[in-house]
Amino acid sequence: MKILGISAFYHDSAAAIVINGKIVAAAQEERFTRIKHDLRFPFNAIASCLKQAEIELHELDYVVFHEKPLRKFNRLVKTYLGFAPSGYTSFAKAIPLWLTNKLFQKGTILDALATFGSFDAKRLLFSEHHLSHAASAFFPSPFTEATVLTLDGVGESATTTVAKGNSNQLTITKELHFPHSLGMLYAAFTYYTGFKVNSGEYKVMGLAPYGRPIYAERILEHLVDLKPDGSYRLNQEYFNYCTGLTMTNDKFDELFEGPRRTPEDRLTQKHMDLAASVQSVTEEIVLQITRNLAKDSPHGNLCLAGGVALNCVANGNILRDGSFERIWIQPAAGDAGGSLGAALAAYYLYAKQPRTTVAGQDTMQGSYLGPSFSPAECERRLQAAGAVIHPLSEDGMIHETANALAAEKAVGWFQGQMEFGPRALGGRSILADPRSETMQKKLNLKVKFRESFRPFAPSVLAEDVSDWFELDRESPYMLLVAEVKQELQRSMTEEEKGLFGIEKLNVPRSTIPAVTHVDYSARVQTVHLETNPRYYKLLKAFKQRTGCSVLVNTSFNVRGEPIVCTPEDAFSCFMGTNLDVLVVENCLLFKEEQDMSLAKDYKDAFELD
């Protein structure tokens, strides 16, 4: 049985193919169009997935869309009616778009699919938004039975749902509806602190450790009515997202003593304190929810999905809290993952196929589910782009890359299948030496062209994780935050403690300062031989060379650009940044040998995210 899942038309469009329950391909449209968070119909992602699966459209048993557009339209109309006469301007903009396009998405989808060949309209199915999220989390998980928590902005109408999964069954048992949304609360502070909604939330999370949660009590007193069971309501007097064109309003500005920061404004301590405060409240709400769910979950298993599940600090708190013994988070937890969940929901819930699990093993294959390129194809494409390359054996390539990293070179690393989801996991990564005291600033300012406060994640050999971090289990998808081991930390002097916000970044906090955030935390990725043998071998070689089994791992892109997809994307990014070395499969490239007339002004090539 062959099933194609699709998510599109809001943000992070994607496609995924499942064959007989196995995930064989998944990719986001942005990687092909080079438009970050591309919301358009995923023509390129579908073409890539069909090619990987080696099938034609007419061979598919079902195509499944990740949500139900009519239910979404229902929620929109009810919201405007509920707030009328407020919101007429927003209503006047939104309704014509729905009436001319979005309301008739079935026809739009069928017309788009027709570009790939013939397809029977009766085989087009529609899942529900939160059911797709829940399916993406439960069915690939290693659990036969689990509680599934989905937290995001909004689906059709649900914003928070609880589902019970057992074998091939998945049933939503509890729902919280729009406008009461933890995702919207976080997005409101993303907007207020001057970052882009549906893109900049991770910046707020990264900024939070520089601040103090001094506004948390104010948020809970005025904005959020949090109940003992973890349910909550948002006070709509302070928000504008239901009927307006902004997230917050004048009353919100008054509560927090000033207008929102524009993207060009300098970050101040206040913005750091606001980030710390909304992060603190988010963590409190999530913990209250999970603690209550655990009372009715004797199996001790929790699955997470939805955009809020990408808040790895909150995830780490759930783990340390211990209410659930085991947690598993979908690596493509946002809307892109809805494509995969839709396909899996059709396979198990609609077609009622049996499901088997292997204890301790998920079925995401390390999330390496995108396109790959053979060594010979990489050589040909790089040479056609004008690159000077050194083809090497695998052992030679690993040896040379480890040496470059030990010499504090910044390395672009392009290997195997592209990752599905927002994290670079050693397929499309920029790598560096975590022991360097200057590497974090160098990578942010000279390679990524982004804000200097942004932290970098460590990749570590799976068997060594507890030697470096306060973590006793696998974290293959970089979705858990843990503290750097106490004995590796460096205490701050009184003078250093008095530094302002981001100035603290310049103070080395541990023996691996490039991946140690200002609060001694790190977003950890454990690397496993079974899922990424080349990256594992590189870490082994770096450990043999330096005694350190950790590397800086950040996504292979610059500010505002999607992660690279093709060898040409990798070469273009390499030439437009201050990366020193590029490794594409077995090809090694040194910056000083390249024709610099091929370089473009990459710094301003992409819109600020």
Side-chain angles (χ1 to χ4, degrees):
M1 182 174 286
K2 306 174 185 71
I3 302 174
L4 168 67
I6 299 170
S7 61
F9 306 133
Y10 183 49
H11 59 91
D12 295 315
S13 295
I17 288 180
V18 171
I19 299 180
N20 292 334
K22 181 181 179 182
I23 307 164
V24 298
Q28 294 121 286
E29 184 70 0
E30 66 167 19
R31 306 295 173 85
F32 306 93
T33 63
R34 314 309 298 153
I35 299 171
K36 197 161 188 180
H37 305 300
D38 199 340
L39 54 74
R40 296 171 298 176
F41 189 83
F43 287 100
N44 298 282
I46 291 172
S48 177
C49 288
L50 289 171
K51 181 180 178 182
Q52 276 180 248
E54 298 181 334
I55 57 175
E56 302 289 335
L57 185 78
H58 67 85
E59 297 179 76
L60 293 168
D61 292 278
Y62 301 106
V63 174
V64 196
F65 194 64
H66 74 129
E67 62 183 9
K68 297 189 174 180
L70 189 56
R71 289 193 184 181
K72 204 162 204 174
F73 181 69
N74 256 347
R75 185 256 300 167
L76 189 75
V77 172
K78 286 180 179 178
T79 298
Y80 282 123
L81 287 175
F83 282 85
S86 296
Y88 177 76
T89 302
S90 175
F91 175 84
K93 287 191 174 186
I95 293 302
L97 183 62
W98 273 90
L99 294 179
T100 58
N101 183 7
K102 293 187 177 183
L103 195 55
F104 305 102
Q105 281 179 8
K106 181 175 182 179
T108 301
I109 294 166
L110 288 171
D111 287 346
L113 290 173
T115 64
F116 295 97
S118 61
F119 184 75
D120 183 356
K122 294 176 183 176
R123 290 185 282 144
L124 175 62
L125 307 176
F126 291 82
S127 181
E128 293 180 351
H129 188 100
H130 271 237
L131 183 64
S132 295
H133 274 316
S136 78
F138 175 62
F139 290 126
S141 80
F143 309 137
T144 301
E145 187 177 4
T147 297
V148 188
L149 175 62
T150 297
L151 296 155
D152 66 2
V154 60
E156 289 88 357
S157 61
T159 64
T160 302
T161 58
V162 177
K164 298 294 183 182
N166 192 334
S167 187
N168 67 343
Q169 299 296 307
L170 183 65
T171 306
I172 291 177
T173 59
K174 297 178 182 179
E175 291 188 355
L176 190 65
H177 288 176
F178 187 84
H180 309 294
S181 165
L182 188 54
M184 288 296 192
L185 175 68
Y186 211 92
F189 280 86
T190 300
Y191 170 82
Y192 187 70
T193 51
F195 302 115
K196 187 180 288 187
V197 173
N198 292 326
S199 175
E201 282 78 5
Y202 60 96
K203 296 185 183 181
V204 175
M205 184 178 66
L207 191 63
Y210 294 97
R212 303 152 297 165
I214 60 175
Y215 299 105
E217 189 174 330
R218 197 177 305 184
I219 294 170
L220 289 168
E221 181 181 348
H222 295 278
L223 302 185
V224 184
D225 179 15
L226 179 59
K227 303 298 185 184
D229 66 352
S231 61
Y232 56 89
R233 294 179 65 83
L234 301 189
N235 185 349
Q236 292 303 306
E237 292 180 14
Y238 294 90
F239 300 97
N240 197 36
Y241 57 77
C242 283
T243 57
L245 302 176
T246 61
M247 291 299 299
T248 59
N249 58 22
D250 291 343
K251 193 166 183 178
F252 192 101
D253 293 354
E254 184 180 341
L255 181 64
F256 294 105
E257 301 158 357
R260 70 178 286 257
R261 169 184 168 264
T262 66
E264 297 78 22
D265 290 342
R266 188 175 67 89
L267 283 165
T268 67
Q269 188 64 51
K270 177 185 176 181
H271 302 118
M272 300 172 200
D273 293 340
L274 285 164
S277 300
V278 72
Q279 178 65 32
S280 173
V281 170
T282 298
E283 292 170 22
E284 182 175 345
I285 294 171
V286 170
L287 278 180
Q288 201 140 318
I289 293 171
T290 54
R291 285 168 179 168
N292 277 277
L293 292 179
K295 296 173 185 176
D296 191 33
S297 304
H299 45 71
N301 300 325
L302 176 69
C303 296
L304 294 169
V308 179
L310 294 171
N311 192 308
C312 49
V313 179
N315 296 341
N317 284 347
I318 297 170
L319 182 65
R320 287 185 292 276
D321 183 62
S323 296
F324 281 93
E325 187 178 346
R326 293 166 294 275
I327 69 172
W328 192 86
I329 308 151
Q330 167 54 241
D335 277 7
S339 62
L340 174 59
L344 291 168
Y347 185 76
Y348 291 111
L349 304 180
Y350 184 80
K352 302 187 186 305
Q353 296 299 303
R355 173 175 176 256
T356 58
T357 57
V358 177
Q361 293 182 25
D362 67 47
T363 59
M364 284 296 292
Q365 301 156 62
S367 211
Y368 306 109
L369 298 167
S372 62
F373 303 85
S374 70
E377 186 177 7
C378 289
E379 284 189 38
R380 177 180 58 79
R381 293 173 73 149
L382 287 170
Q383 287 174 332
V388 177
I389 65 174
H390 298 275
L392 300 170
S393 66
E394 180 178 285
D395 288 345
M397 179 272 291
I398 295 286
H399 176 77
E400 291 296 332
T401 306
N403 284 343
L405 290 164
E408 296 195 16
K409 303 293 186 183
V411 176
W413 177 257
F414 183 106
Q415 300 289 326
Q417 289 185 254
M418 182 175 69
E419 302 91 336
F420 182 53
R423 311 292 189 216
L425 302 170
R428 306 287 186 274
S429 292
I430 292 174
L431 308 178
D433 188 342
R435 303 168 303 159
S436 169
E437 295 184 4
T438 60
M439 189 57 68
Q440 183 179 30
K441 181 175 284 189
K442 174 185 175 181
L443 289 178
N444 269 329
L445 299 180
K446 296 187 176 183
V447 176
K448 303 282 280 189
F449 303 129
R450 67 185 195 181
E451 302 91 343
S452 62
F453 69 82
R454 301 270 291 277
F456 288 105
S459 291
V460 59
L461 290 171
E463 62 269 28
D464 290 354
V465 62
S466 57
D467 295 337
W468 297 92
F469 307 100
E470 298 294 347
L471 189 64
D472 62 355
R473 63 192 70 198
E474 298 177 354
S475 177
Y477 303 120
M478 205 184 282
L479 286 168
L480 295 172
V481 161
E483 194 169 284
V484 173
K485 292 285 282 189
Q486 189 78 35
E487 56 267 31
L488 304 179
Q489 295 179 14
R490 174 190 174 278
S491 299
M492 294 182 75
T493 65
E494 289 303 315
E495 182 181 355
E496 290 167 343
K497 288 177 183 177
L499 292 172
F500 165 76
I502 292 172
E503 291 175 356
K504 295 176 182 176
L505 181 71
N506 299 325
V507 180
R509 312 303 291 271
S510 76
T511 57
I512 44 173
V515 294
T516 305
H517 209 1
V518 292
D519 59 354
Y520 297 103
S521 68
R523 178 162 44 96
V524 180
Q525 180 204 4
T526 53
V527 180
H528 305 259
L529 178 62
E530 299 78 15
T531 52
N532 196 333
R534 276 200 167 178
Y535 193 31
Y536 181 90
K537 290 175 184 176
L538 177 63
L539 276 158
K540 274 280 193 184
F542 187 72
K543 180 182 179 181
Q544 291 168 357
R545 176 82 166 70
T546 66
C548 177
S549 54
V550 180
L551 284 173
V552 176
N553 177 11
T554 187
S555 55
F556 197 162
N557 62 340
V558 300
R559 179 195 70 188
E561 181 195 20
I563 294 173
V564 300
C565 176
T566 66
E568 291 88 347
D569 295 337
F571 182 64
S572 181
C573 190
F574 173 62
M575 293 298 291
T577 63
N578 287 312
L579 284 171
D580 303 300
V581 175
L582 174 62
V583 187
V584 179
E585 292 299 332
N586 283 8
C587 294
L588 190 68
L589 290 76
F590 297 100
K591 178 63 66 63
E592 62 269 20
E593 295 179 354
Q594 306 305 316
D595 177 1
M596 295 310 296
S597 69
L598 298 173
K600 64 179 179 181
D601 185 7
Y602 217 66
K603 182 177 180 181
D604 298 314
F606 295 92
E607 182 184 353
L608 179 69
D609 64 346

